[in-house]
Amino acid sequence: MPILHLKMHPGRTAEQKKAFAREATRVVVETLVCPPESVEILITEVPKDAWATAGTLKSDG
Amino acid sequence: MPILHLKMHPGRTAEQKKAFAREATRVVVETLVCPPESVEILITEVPKDAWATAGTLKSDG
Amino acid sequence: MPILHLKMHPGRTAEQKKAFAREATRVVVETLVCPPESVEILITEVPKDAWATAGTLKSDG
Amino acid sequence: MPILHLKMHPGRTAEQKKAFAREATRVVVETLVCPPESVEILITEVPKDAWATAGTLKSDG
Amino acid sequence: MPILHLKMHPGRTAEQKKAFAREATRVVVETLVCPPESVEILITEVPKDAWATAGTLKSDG
Amino acid sequence: MPILHLKMHPGRTAEQKKAFAREATRVVVETLVCPPESVEILITEVPKDAWATAGTLKSDG
């Protein structure tokens, strides 16, 4: 039931995503007390030309 | 005005997406009582290597 | 696994939300071909003073 | 801290996205009174075959 | 069709929200070239005890 | 820059939310290799009468 949605830039390896999914699920289970099977994690990669901070696209940073 | 956002794995056909959009709009109109023109439906395809359940990416399932 | 997120104004009854959840799940199962247990539906009520169309808040509409 | 997420069809130029990011950040800073460095803007392009209005995909419109 | 979703802390006045909706719609229309009637803006207020930066909830900041 | 959005039922304590924010940030920093100050975490509580699995609202489960 808890759904965790991560938005980040592209560029991480498959191994990094696996480690994130595994460890983030463990944190949800331990801190929020729920069964691991109930935890869904979605990862969205947002390109640097589609993400701005302080008005400037990261691709122009 | 009602906005319905579907997140699912890639792999469905264009026909399936059309049928989903048509039928889901009908359900919104009938159950929530609003005009069809007010219903927006967005579909996001989340790859299996970007979706985890119970700490394991679906691509590793 | 398919996650369906509905955003709408407050004001529908509990019965309407139940009917929406039931019928929208049936549509997902039938058009996208997946088991009902895999379908999650979330409903977010957005007040009229927090939703604008054409630059005007619905509460001012 | 304010996060602004834009969902639109593909097709705008890099210049249009830069102008949107710059001007939308200025609007957030001026109307909501916060420092520009705190404003994050994300842009998601949703294809016409993944966006429906009134039950019809835009690609079929 | 463009949907703009703002997430911010509670505390702004109704006037500030109106000004944001009006000005942000104008920016979308001018930079992305679309009719004002097609622009939807949603505002979600996220309390300080539900928003963390660098691991610390803003309410504990 | 990485934004992590958690959706869960209401009912957890302030201490649980603090622990989640702290530990989830640590996991993001360690697995995805980024500075803690860049990590934003948002928590949205979705009531049981606004969340359905297999067509049944959790409040009716």
Side-chain angles (χ1 to χ4, degrees):
Chain A
M1 178 271 312
I3 298 173
L4 201 52
H5 190 177
L6 171 70
K7 292 175 183 169
M8 65 175 182
H9 287 322
R12 271 71 176 200
T13 65
E15 281 315 306
Q16 285 183 292
K17 291 181 202 174
K18 283 179 202 184
F20 169 75
R22 188 185 60 242
E23 294 306 311
T25 298
R26 186 179 53 72
V27 163
V28 170
V29 169
E30 289 177 4
T31 60
L32 305 178
V33 187
C34 63
E37 311 75 55
S38 71
V39 181
E40 304 267 351
I41 292 184
L42 285 75
I43 299 171
T44 298
E45 294 184 334
V46 181
K48 294 198 171 185
D49 65 359
W51 193 315
T53 301
T56 303
L57 292 175
K58 302 271 185 174
S59 50
D60 297 336
Chain B
M1 177 274 308
I3 297 172
L4 200 54
H5 189 177
L6 172 69
K7 291 175 184 169
M8 65 175 180
H9 287 321
R12 271 70 176 203
T13 65
E15 281 315 305
Q16 286 183 291
K17 291 181 202 173
K18 281 179 203 183
F20 169 75
R22 188 185 59 242
E23 294 306 311
T25 298
R26 188 180 52 73
V27 162
V28 169
V29 169
E30 289 176 3
T31 59
L32 305 178
V33 186
C34 62
E37 310 74 56
S38 71
V39 181
E40 304 266 351
I41 292 184
L42 286 74
I43 300 172
T44 298
E45 294 184 334
V46 181
K48 294 197 171 186
D49 65 0
W51 194 314
T53 300
T56 302
L57 293 174
K58 303 271 186 175
S59 50
D60 297 336
Chain C
M1 178 274 308
I3 297 172
L4 201 52
H5 190 178
L6 171 71
K7 291 175 185 170
M8 64 176 182
H9 287 321
R12 271 71 177 202
T13 66
E15 281 315 304
Q16 285 183 291
K17 292 180 201 174
K18 280 180 204 180
F20 169 76
R22 189 185 59 242
E23 294 307 309
T25 298
R26 187 179 53 72
V27 163
V28 170
V29 168
E30 289 177 4
T31 60
L32 306 179
V33 187
C34 63
E37 310 74 55
S38 70
V39 182
E40 303 267 351
I41 293 184
L42 286 74
I43 299 171
T44 297
E45 294 184 334
V46 181
K48 294 197 171 184
D49 65 359
W51 194 315
T53 300
T56 302
L57 292 174
K58 302 272 184 172
S59 49
D60 296 338
Chain D
M1 178 273 309
I3 298 172
L4 201 51
H5 191 176
L6 171 71
K7 291 175 184 169
M8 64 176 182
H9 287 321
R12 271 69 176 202
T13 65
E15 281 315 304
Q16 285 183 291
K17 291 181 201 174
K18 281 180 205 183
F20 169 76
R22 188 186 59 241
E23 294 306 311
T25 298
R26 187 178 54 73
V27 163
V28 170
V29 168
E30 289 176 3
T31 60
L32 305 179
V33 188
C34 63
E37 310 74 52
S38 71
V39 182
E40 303 266 352
I41 293 184
L42 286 74
I43 299 171
T44 298
E45 294 183 333
V46 180
K48 294 197 171 185
D49 64 358
W51 194 315
T53 300
T56 302
L57 293 174
K58 302 271 185 173
S59 50
D60 297 338
Chain E
M1 180 273 307
I3 297 173
L4 200 53
H5 189 176
L6 171 69
K7 291 175 184 169
M8 65 176 181
H9 288 322
R12 271 72 176 202
T13 64
E15 282 314 305
Q16 286 184 290
K17 291 181 202 173
K18 282 179 202 182
F20 169 76
R22 189 185 58 242
E23 295 306 310
T25 298
R26 187 180 53 72
V27 163
V28 170
V29 168
E30 289 177 4
T31 60
L32 304 178
V33 187
C34 62
E37 310 74 54
S38 71
V39 181
E40 304 266 350
I41 293 183
L42 285 75
I43 299 170
T44 298
E45 294 184 333
V46 181
K48 294 197 172 186
D49 66 358
W51 193 315
T53 301
T56 303
L57 293 175
K58 303 270 187 173
S59 50
D60 297 337
Chain F
M1 181 272 306
I3 297 173
L4 200 51
H5 189 177
L6 171 69
K7 292 175 184 169
M8 64 175 184
H9 288 322
R12 270 72 176 199
T13 65
E15 282 314 305
Q16 285 182 292
K17 291 181 201 173
K18 281 179 205 182
F20 169 74
R22 188 185 60 241
E23 293 306 310
T25 299
R26 187 180 52 73
V27 162
V28 170
V29 169
E30 289 177 3
T31 61
L32 305 179
V33 188
C34 63
E37 309 76 53
S38 71
V39 181
E40 303 267 350
I41 293 183
L42 285 76
I43 300 171
T44 297
E45 294 183 335
V46 181
K48 294 197 172 185
D49 65 359
W51 193 315
T53 301
T56 303
L57 293 174
K58 302 271 184 172
S59 50
D60 297 337

